Amino acid sequence: MAETKYKRVLLKISGEGLCKSGATGLDGEEIRRLAEEIKLVVELGVQVAVVVGGGNIVRGSVIAKDSPIEETTGHYMGMLATVINALAVQDTLEALDVPTRVQSAISIHAVCEPFIRRRAIHHMEKGRVVIFAGGTGNPFVTTDTGAALRAAEVRAEVLLKATKVDGVYTADPVKDPSAQRIEQLSYNDVINRRLGIMDVSAIDLCQRSCTPIIVLSLRKPGNMRDVLTGGGTYTRINGD
C-alpha cells in the first residue's frame, strides 16, 4: 500500500460532476466513475468526506431569474438537490463495497442523518465515507463555502476541489493552448486576483482555518490517489 501525505481529506465536487458535460440531471456512468476514484483513495486508508453541489438539478439564483420563485426558495430547492446527489453517490459507493453515511444540514430523517460533527468524525474514523449534503443549511451560501466549513469542522488536512481541468491555469486551457498550469498559489493570490476557483468566502474560511486547497481533475483515472501519494497533477493553494 502506497504511503499517503494526508490522513483525512474533504473532496468538493460540483453537481455537474455527476452528469455528462453540458448535460443536467444524473448520469449513472459518471457517478460510478467518481465513486471508483473515491474508492481508490479509501483503499489507501485515507478518511474521506465529500461535499456535493446541486447545480446539475437546480441553481437557486438562476431559477429565481426565470420564474416568480423567490431566490431564497430557490436556494432551499438547491439544498434539496444536493441531498438527491448525495444519495446517488452513496448508493453507487456502497455498490462498490465502500461504506458510507449521508449527513444533511437540513433535516430529512427518512433518508439521511442530520449533520453532527462528532458523529461525522466517528464515521470517518471507522472507515466510512461521509457525504455532506444540504450545504450549510442557509440560503445565499455556496456549497464551496459549505465545503470549507465542513473541512474546518472535521479537521480535514486538505480540501480537494475537483474541477474540469487539472489545476489553475494562466488562461482557459480549452481556449488557449499556450496556457500554463500554476503549481502554487497563496490564498491572497486567489482572493486579490479574483481567480474564481471558489468563492471568496470559501477561500477566506480556508485561510483562517489553515486548510490547504488542492485543485485537481478527477477525469484522469487515479489522479486523486496519485495526488495524495505525492504525484499527480494539481495546483496547491495555501499560505504565503
Side-chain angles (χ1 to χ4, degrees), residues 32-234:
R32 184 178 180 87
R33 179 189 54 75
L34 167 68
E36 289 172 343
E37 294 303 307
I38 295 173
K39 181 177 181 178
L40 290 175
V41 172
V42 172
E43 289 175 339
L44 293 174
V46 177
Q47 298 173 17
V48 180
V50 180
V51 169
V52 292
N56 57 316
I57 299 175
V58 61
R59 288 187 180 277
S61 58
V62 174
I63 197 169
K65 292 179 181 178
D66 301 327
S67 73
I69 297 171
E70 290 189 23
E71 186 170 354
T72 300
T73 303
H75 285 296
Y76 279 108
M77 292 167 65
M79 292 179 216
L80 293 172
T82 69
V83 176
I84 293 172
N85 286 341
L87 294 175
V89 174
Q90 177 181 45
D91 273 17
T92 307
L93 280 168
E94 293 192 342
L96 298 174
D97 298 319
V98 178
T100 70
R101 294 292 188 275
V102 173
Q103 291 195 346
S104 174
I106 52 176
S107 297
I108 309 180
H109 296 294
V111 295
C112 56
E113 300 177 1
F115 170 68
I116 300 174
R117 173 180 171 271
R118 287 181 177 271
R119 184 180 292 176
I121 292 172
H122 175 74
H123 286 320
M124 286 188 286
E125 289 174 342
K126 292 293 186 180
R128 301 164 188 147
V129 173
V130 180
I131 307 166
F132 295 122
T136 65
N138 299 292
F140 303 101
V141 181
T142 68
T143 51
D144 278 349
T145 296
L149 175 64
R150 295 291 182 250
E153 288 179 303
V154 302
R155 301 191 302 274
E157 295 172 319
V158 66
L159 192 161
L160 304 173
K161 166 68 172 176
T163 66
K164 295 178 181 179
V165 293
D166 55 356
V168 181
Y169 281 75
T170 54
D172 186 342
V174 176
K175 299 178 181 178
D176 185 355
S178 66
Q180 299 292 313
R181 181 169 54 83
I182 303 170
E183 294 190 359
Q184 184 89 19
L185 287 165
S186 71
Y187 301 114
N188 288 334
D189 286 335
V190 178
I191 293 171
N192 295 337
R193 293 162 62 179
R194 294 293 192 270
L195 294 178
I197 301 157
M198 302 173 76
D199 60 86
V200 171
S201 59
I203 299 294
D204 179 66
L205 207 164
C206 286
Q207 185 173 28
R208 284 189 287 142
S209 64
C210 298
T211 306
I213 303 166
I214 288 179
V215 182
L216 76 167
S217 172
L218 297 183
R219 296 290 176 181
K220 179 182 177 183
N223 188 50
M224 180 165 60
R225 175 198 58 199
D226 293 344
V227 167
L228 296 181
T229 54
T233 51
Y234 59 90

